Amino acid sequence: MTATEFRDKKTREIQELFEKLSSLEESRFPPEMKGRLFRTYQRQIERLTAVLDNPALGRLVLLEAILV
């Protein structure tokens, strides 16, 4: 996987999480479950954004993905 492919993959993951966040409002989940899911998605977005914003961290995660 190249660095560009990695960045594209992580960007798609962020977009998918934003879609999940926006669909929570229309879901039939109880409010406490919506809150939990919202916080989970938000943390995942923050982590992915940190990886994309920090080239060194991105290389480390890319290397880990290659080794696994």
Side-chain angles (χ1 to χ4, degrees):
M1 176 181 296
T2 68
T4 303
E5 291 169 336
F6 176 77
R7 181 177 268 297
D8 291 345
K9 178 182 176 202
K10 295 303 173 189
T11 301
R12 281 192 305 276
E13 289 176 19
I14 290 172
Q15 290 170 340
E16 290 169 5
L17 286 166
F18 275 120
E19 289 170 11
K20 287 180 180 181
L21 271 177
S22 65
S23 70
L24 270 180
E25 197 59 41
E26 295 113 29
S27 72
R28 295 183 181 184
F29 291 126
E32 64 186 40
M33 179 62 88
K34 285 183 184 182
R36 259 190 233 148
L37 287 170
F38 178 85
R39 289 187 298 276
T40 299
Y41 296 153
Q42 188 176 26
R43 280 193 307 271
Q44 290 174 339
I45 290 169
E46 289 170 358
R47 288 181 186 134
L48 288 169
T49 302
V51 167
L52 292 178
D53 287 347
N54 185 333
L57 185 57
R59 285 191 297 275
L60 180 63
V61 174
L62 176 59
L63 178 61
E64 181 182 346
I66 290 170
L67 295 176
V68 171

